[in-house]
Coordinates of all heavy atoms in Angstrom, one line a residue:
V110 N 17.1 -7.1 -8.7 CA 15.9 -7.1 -9.5 C 16.1 -7.6 -10.9 O 15.2 -8.1 -11.6 CB 15.2 -5.7 -9.6 CG1 14.7 -5.3 -8.3 CG2 16.2 -4.7 -10.1
R111 N 17.4 -7.6 -11.4 CA 17.7 -8.1 -12.7 C 17.4 -9.6 -12.9 O 17.3 -10.1 -14.0 CB 19.1 -7.8 -13.1 CG 19.4 -6.3 -13.2 CD 20.9 -6.0 -13.2 NE 21.6 -6.5 -12.1 CZ 22.9 -6.5 -11.9 NH1 23.7 -5.9 -12.8 NH2 23.5 -7.0 -10.8
R112 N 17.4 -10.3 -11.8 CA 17.2 -11.7 -11.8 C 15.7 -12.2 -11.6 O 15.4 -13.4 -11.6 CB 18.0 -12.4 -10.7 CG 19.5 -12.2 -10.9 CD 20.4 -12.9 -9.8 NE 21.8 -12.8 -10.0 CZ 22.5 -13.5 -10.8 NH1 21.9 -14.5 -11.5 NH2 23.8 -13.3 -11.0
I113 N 14.8 -11.2 -11.4 CA 13.4 -11.6 -11.2 C 12.7 -11.9 -12.4 O 12.8 -11.2 -13.4 CB 12.7 -10.3 -10.5 CG1 13.3 -10.0 -9.1 CG2 11.2 -10.7 -10.4 CD1 12.7 -8.8 -8.4
K114 N 12.2 -13.2 -12.5 CA 11.5 -13.6 -13.7 C 10.0 -13.3 -13.7 O 9.4 -13.2 -14.7 CB 11.7 -15.1 -13.9 CG 13.2 -15.4 -14.1 CD 13.3 -17.0 -14.3 CE 14.8 -17.3 -14.6 NZ 15.0 -18.8 -14.8
D115 N 9.4 -13.1 -12.5 CA 8.0 -12.8 -12.3 C 7.9 -11.3 -12.5 O 8.4 -10.5 -11.7 CB 7.7 -13.3 -10.9 CG 6.2 -12.9 -10.5 OD1 5.4 -12.3 -11.4 OD2 5.7 -13.2 -9.4
A116 N 7.1 -10.9 -13.4 CA 6.8 -9.5 -13.7 C 5.6 -9.0 -13.1 O 5.2 -7.8 -13.3 CB 6.9 -9.3 -15.2
S117 N 4.8 -9.8 -12.4 CA 3.5 -9.3 -11.9 C 3.5 -8.3 -10.8 O 4.6 -8.0 -10.2 CB 2.7 -10.5 -11.3 OG 3.3 -11.0 -10.1
L118 N 2.4 -7.7 -10.6 CA 2.3 -6.7 -9.6 C 2.3 -7.3 -8.2 O 2.9 -6.9 -7.2 CB 0.9 -5.8 -9.8 CG 0.6 -4.8 -8.7 CD1 1.6 -3.6 -8.7 CD2 -0.8 -4.3 -8.9
E119 N 1.5 -8.4 -8.1 CA 1.3 -9.1 -6.8 C 2.6 -9.6 -6.2 O 2.8 -9.3 -5.0 CB 0.4 -10.2 -6.9 CG -1.1 -9.8 -7.3 CD -1.3 -9.8 -8.8 OE1 -0.3 -9.6 -9.6 OE2 -2.4 -10.1 -9.2
T120 N 3.5 -10.3 -6.9 CA 4.6 -11.0 -6.3 C 5.9 -10.7 -7.1 O 6.9 -11.3 -6.7 CB 4.3 -12.4 -6.3 OG1 4.1 -12.9 -7.7 CG2 3.2 -12.8 -5.4
G121 N 5.9 -9.9 -8.1 CA 7.1 -9.7 -8.9 C 7.6 -8.3 -9.1 O 7.4 -7.4 -8.3
L122 N 8.1 -8.1 -10.2 CA 8.9 -6.9 -10.6 C 8.0 -5.7 -10.6 O 8.4 -4.6 -10.1 CB 9.5 -7.0 -12.0 CG 10.4 -5.9 -12.5 CD1 11.6 -5.7 -11.7 CD2 10.8 -6.2 -14.0
A123 N 6.8 -5.8 -11.1 CA 5.9 -4.6 -11.2 C 5.5 -4.0 -9.8 O 5.4 -2.9 -9.6 CB 4.6 -5.0 -12.0

Side-chain angles (χ1 to χ4, degrees):
V110 292
R111 295 168 300 178
R112 296 181 180 275
I113 298 176
K114 294 181 179 180
D115 178 359
S117 72
L118 177 67
E119 293 93 328
T120 57
L122 183 64

